[in-house]
Amino acid sequence: MKLNNKTFIGAFLTLSLALGFGSCTDDIAFGNKFLGKAPGTDATKDTVFNNAEYTRQFLVGAYALQYYGLPYTSSHSSASYWNGKFDALTDCWQLHFTQSSVFQTYYSGQLNATSGSSSVFGYLNENCWELIRSAYLLQENIGRTPNMEETEKTQMKAEAKCLIASTYFNLFRMYGGLPIVKRSFNVGETSYDLPRASVEETVNFMVGLLDEASKVLPWTPEDPTSETGRWTKAAAMAMKCQILQFAASPLFNSDKPYYGSTYSITDSSPVWYGNYSKDRWTRCKTACEEFLQQLNANGGYSLVQPASKTIEGYRYAFRYGYVNQNSPEVIFATRVSSFGKDTKFMWTQLGGGLNERYSYAPTQEYVEMFPWADGKPFNWTATENAGKLDQMFVKGDTIATKQELQHRTYTRDPRLYETVMVNGDLETSSLNSGTMSGNNFELWDGGSRALNGPSTESGYFATGYGNNKYITGTNNVYLRAQPQWVVLSLNDFYLTYAEALLQADDNFTGALQYVDKIRSRVGLKGLAECNPGEDLTSNKENLLSEILRERVCELGMSNSRYFDIKRYKLGQQVLSQKLHGLKMYRLRKVDGKWVHVNDIKNANTQWWNGDKKTDKGSNLNPGFYEPTHFDYEKFESRQSRTWWSGYDPKWYLEPFPQTEVNKGYGLTQNPGW
């Protein structure tokens, strides 16, 4: 289909060459080095590509346009706290920042094809098309750049292909098949033929770019001190696995389209393969095995292992694996340094400060997904019947003359404490170990940290829990660390391979082996051993469910749960269910009976900011010891979501902006929008 050059995909044609420079010195760095200042905003292709250093900076500017998943800016994009994270659209987190798009547009069901900047990943708001054009401009013009070796030019072109493929994948998993752009377009051109491609065509296009790039890129960064953050062969191959995993999943790979008979579409190929084929899972499995062959031959990446078989060792191994920029577990990550008046520190500054804008409160449903410390599943009813709810997070000894709980023992999966702030854990983390110290988290109703958040269902601890992923305590220990957003990691890859083994070959043994690799590094016993009643060595449905649960425990706040729900079409099963928080009430013995401290006249419900100070004179005082006995009340969230009255399948894919559809270059709207 032909169209006038002034209408194609927003500003794709009119992108200034200076765009690549406008970000490179402010927004991104490879390793610890920044490149020198680029030419001014009147740069032309001749200015840029006739200078080797400017050409390198142009590529860095394209890198700077990549998706970064931690909301740290006030601008309207997925990196804005005014929009919100994908994770808040799942069953595991509830965002209580009422001014966010997640709250106002998604929870209320108001999203539509005219929502524009309110989308959590807008078709035109994420610099996707600007990045793609920059990458093509580099490929088309770098051949004439002087004073640059051909090997460097070849590698930079390969990196540009990875940038295009990964950007397409970000759009593909939100919108389905896309217009496939294979070159930059000049303003002087008068017509274009860019129909929306099918799912298969879009997948093959992305994979083709990655295959081409992986032939020439180094397996690991050639200089880890200055080139971390650049696309490598390992990253290209791992991204291929992730794309094929998504494509092979039931959203697109099914005997029936995801929208069923609810909606219709003239050409379904952009949103559905048209059938189910196990070959698509085999293709994903083969890609995983090709990655493993290279990993075994070249090394360079590994799961971070605990220095000791202790809670501190397990917690630090898990944390270091994703948060440290030198982690051998991270295959590819993006990070920023500044953005206008917002800074790279905004996520940790506001998150560590427990700001309402980052009130991604974990749900009770999520907390119960984490097993006990030995790997056996947590069961609320069984724990309650055994009288052990007080031990569901920590346990210890109350010793005379010691106000704090002694011999504090963590009773659950170490990943829980690194992902969720829970009652009884300690608040202060260490930069170089998993040791926690300082005050205990008081998340009961009226506690020093939660205050009245659970009772009013507001603020950072609105559900009785707080997010700890990418935060790690309240002391902002990573404030100046330029937090990275992990795009590809070895733990994610192992779980992808486990899923592919199960789906392609019904290989239960192999799938369990790779899941247990993940569990063992935090001290959990084997998945099948810990769930004898689930028949995980032969029941495919049960094992797949456990793999998806392991994914959200291992990969919390990484968007994986959101896309897992979408690709397995779990909207009705998962998202239509109401969510819950947990109110805890501090108890005190009065006349031989346990009563709520809230109900005792003039009693202070806080401890380290209350009784610990006022009653420290004697262990006979009622508030001398750290509270360890509580009443528990699960409560249904009052912050309802439109899906709770029934999940509409249209939500599996986002609507394209209707203004783009109306331009007539071949873009068709997704079903239901």
Side-chain angles (χ1 to χ4, degrees), residues 290-312:
E290 291 170 349
F291 177 91
L292 281 175
Q293 290 171 1
Q294 292 294 318
L295 179 64
N296 292 334
N298 300 301
Y301 304 95
S302 61
L303 287 183
V304 177
Q305 297 299 326
S308 62
K309 294 183 178 181
T310 62
I311 183 64
E312 293 82 10

Side-chain angles (χ1 to χ4, degrees), residues 230-278:
R230 300 189 77 150
W231 280 91
T232 61
K233 180 174 185 175
M237 294 183 73
M239 176 58 73
K240 176 181 176 179
C241 297
Q242 202 171 87
I243 291 171
L244 293 177
Q245 174 198 39
F246 197 95
S249 299
L251 179 64
F252 298 133
N253 185 24
S254 176
D255 287 331
K256 296 180 180 179
Y258 71 85
Y259 49 85
S261 59
T262 307
Y263 301 107
S264 62
I265 183 172
T266 302
D267 177 13
S268 63
S269 66
V271 296
W272 179 42
Y273 273 114
N275 60 16
Y276 168 77
S277 174
K278 184 177 281 191

Side-chain angles (χ1 to χ4, degrees), residues 315 319 345 347-354 417-418 421 425-439 441 449 460-461 467-468 470-481 608:
R315 288 183 67 164
R319 184 195 313 164
F345 309 128
W347 166 262
T348 45
Q349 187 174 54
L350 294 182
L354 312 181
Y417 307 101
E418 288 295 307
M421 296 176 180
D425 190 10
L426 300 181
E427 292 193 355
T428 303
S429 62
S430 169
L431 187 63
N432 300 309
S433 76
T435 301
M436 301 298 291
S437 59
N439 294 320
F441 273 113
R449 187 57 72 184
Y460 202 87
F461 299 103
N467 172 55
N468 204 29
Y470 282 103
I471 299 295
T472 64
T474 62
N475 56 320
N476 278 347
V477 67
Y478 289 99
L479 179 60
R480 303 291 172 183
W608 55 255

Side-chain angles (χ1 to χ4, degrees), residues 6-13 15 19 65 76-78 83 113-132 167 170-171 174-175 178-179 654-663 665 667:
K6 294 181 181 180
T7 63
F8 171 52
I9 307 180
F12 188 87
L13 285 169
L15 169 69
L19 178 76
L65 299 175
H76 283 287
S77 69
S78 58
N83 276 19
T114 62
S115 294
S117 61
S118 295
S119 171
V120 290
F121 194 87
Y123 188 67
L124 303 176
N125 303 329
E126 302 295 331
N127 290 320
C128 293
W129 300 108
E130 292 85 346
L131 186 158
I132 290 166
T167 302
N170 287 336
L171 288 165
M174 296 296 294
Y175 296 95
L178 300 159
E654 295 270 309
F656 288 104
Q658 195 60 40
T659 53
E660 287 298 304
V661 176
N662 294 343
K663 287 176 181 177
Y665 57 78
L667 190 64

Side-chain angles (χ1 to χ4, degrees), residues 395-409 607 612 615-616 618-621 623-628:
K395 64 180 181 179
D397 300 318
T398 298
I399 296 178
T401 74
K402 301 288 186 180
Q403 287 191 275
E404 296 85 1
L405 187 68
Q406 300 297 299
H407 312 128
R408 192 181 304 265
T409 301
W607 188 66
K612 185 180 181 182
D615 286 12
K616 67 180 180 180
S618 170
N619 64 357
L620 297 178
N621 291 330
F624 180 84
Y625 293 111
E626 178 181 336
T628 58

Side-chain angles (χ1 to χ4, degrees), residues 23-87:
S23 302
C24 68
T25 57
D26 294 330
D27 287 340
I28 194 168
F30 292 131
N32 297 318
K33 296 182 179 180
F34 286 86
L35 295 171
K37 186 170 178 59
T41 57
D42 57 349
T44 66
K45 282 191 288 189
D46 288 339
T47 305
V48 174
F49 295 109
N50 283 328
N51 181 292
E53 186 62 19
Y54 290 168
T55 301
R56 296 184 186 104
Q57 291 178 38
F58 187 82
L59 177 60
V60 175
Y63 267 95
L65 299 175
Q66 293 179 107
Y67 171 73
Y68 180 81
L70 299 176
Y72 76 104
T73 81
S74 57
S75 63
H76 283 287
S77 69
S78 58
S80 170
Y81 41 73
W82 295 105
N83 276 19
K85 279 179 60 58
F86 296 124
D87 305 274

